[in-house]
Amino acid sequence: LDITCENEGCSRKIKLDHLTNHLNQCEYSPKKLISCENGCGIMLLKDDHIVLRNELNNAKYDLQKYKSDVEFYKNEVRTLQEFIRTICATNPSIACCLERVENNEILRWSGRLELARVTHWGGMISTPDIALQDTIKHALLESGCPLDVTNELMENAHERHWPEGLSTLETRQLNRRHYESYVCRRIIGQQAVVVLSSDNRHMDDIMLVEPGIIMIFSHGVK
């Protein structure tokens, strides 16, 4: 008997007694190991490769969409900034209010820091020693942080001065889903972030202190 190969994409006809051997060697077999098309060298089952390729294509699509969204929001911000300038030009009281905000030393300093993402919260150093604190303090001053703000933040670099929701290991374990939502800013050149109250008004009061806290990590800050 002549049997058509059952693998999708293969149209070969094989004698029944040769079918088993053909299925084991058929290049269209879903059980066949193939090299990743991105050149990483990993051998994958064809079915797995198709799934991963589809997931990669979906991720690329999502990334492009996010880029488009970011560009859209940038344009919206520029429009809003122009609107604010127009309003300020015609309303002195609003202009004075805006000037006070723009002159806020914390906002002006923190705006120069990049947003950070913590990928390994388990690397948190909740009781840093004096030498490590001095290193972080020097980095803060180098970044342009005002001296008085630096001193306040460094007071809050140890768990004994952290807010109630972070005060002990037990409370940190209970509140992990909360502090993973912190808006963090990277302290330049260090595996450390500053969590400012002004960036985190969406958080509960038990997760904040003024003007903010310093969180130092052994690794995992991007």
Side-chain angles (χ1 to χ4, degrees):
L1 294 177
D2 288 328
I3 305 296
T4 301
C5 177
E6 64 188 34
N7 292 327
E8 184 178 354
C10 183
S11 58
R12 287 190 58 185
K13 291 184 180 297
I14 307 97
K15 297 295 185 184
L16 179 59
D17 54 345
H18 296 159
L19 180 61
T20 300
N21 288 336
H22 170 75
L23 291 177
N24 289 334
Q25 300 174 11
C26 179
E27 62 178 312
Y28 294 97
S29 172
K31 305 301 182 184
K32 180 181 177 63
L33 288 174
I34 59 176
S35 179
C36 175
E37 65 183 20
N38 289 327
C40 67
I42 294 179
M43 301 299 291
L44 301 166
L45 291 177
K46 185 177 180 181
D47 277 356
D48 292 340
H49 186 272
I50 292 173
V51 171
L52 291 174
R53 182 175 59 193
N54 291 338
E55 289 180 352
L56 179 61
N57 288 337
N58 290 338
K60 289 179 178 178
Y61 172 82
D62 290 341
L63 179 60
Q64 186 58 46
K65 183 177 182 300
Y66 293 144
K67 287 181 178 179
S68 298
D69 289 344
V70 168
E71 190 59 35
F72 170 79
Y73 291 128
K74 283 182 178 179
N75 290 333
E76 289 291 288
V77 169
R78 284 193 286 267
T79 301
L80 182 59
Q81 288 173 333
E82 184 60 33
F83 176 77
I84 291 174
R85 282 193 290 269
T86 302
I87 293 295
C88 289
T90 58
N91 193 320
S93 61
I94 293 180
C96 291
C97 180
L98 182 62
E99 184 178 357
R100 286 196 299 272
V101 172
E102 291 176 341
N103 288 337
N104 185 294
E105 56 184 358
I106 295 180
L107 293 179
R108 284 189 284 116
W109 161 68
S110 65
R112 298 195 294 269
L113 300 180
E114 292 183 350
L115 293 176
R117 181 167 61 94
V118 178
T119 60
H120 186 67
W121 288 95
M124 184 191 306
I125 302 174
S126 57
T127 56
D129 58 31
I130 297 300
L132 184 53
Q133 291 188 54
D134 286 343
T135 299
I136 300 301
K137 181 176 182 178
H138 180 74
L140 283 173
L141 294 172
E142 285 289 316
S143 71
C145 184
L147 180 59
D148 57 332
V149 177
T150 296
N151 290 333
E152 286 186 82
L153 290 174
M154 291 312 304
E155 279 290 317
N156 299 334
H158 194 286
E159 68 175 5
R160 62 175 172 263
H161 294 298
W162 280 356
E164 180 185 345
L166 299 175
S167 57
T168 66
L169 178 60
E170 290 74 17
T171 57
R172 289 196 290 275
Q173 290 173 338
L174 290 173
N175 291 316
R176 178 159 185 162
R177 67 184 180 87
H178 293 297
Y179 65 69
E180 285 182 343
S181 299
Y182 276 146
V183 175
C184 306
R185 295 185 182 273
R186 177 77 175 268
I187 298 176
I188 299 171
Q190 302 296 323
Q191 285 291 308
V193 299
V194 56
V195 180
L196 295 169
S197 296
S198 56
D199 286 332
N200 290 277
R201 298 304 182 192
H202 60 286
M203 303 294 291
D204 292 338
D205 289 342
I206 64 169
M207 303 299 294
L208 298 174
V209 294
E210 296 291 344
I213 64 173
I214 299 293
M215 303 182 80
I216 306 171
F217 297 83
S218 57
H219 62 285
V221 177
K222 294 187 177 181

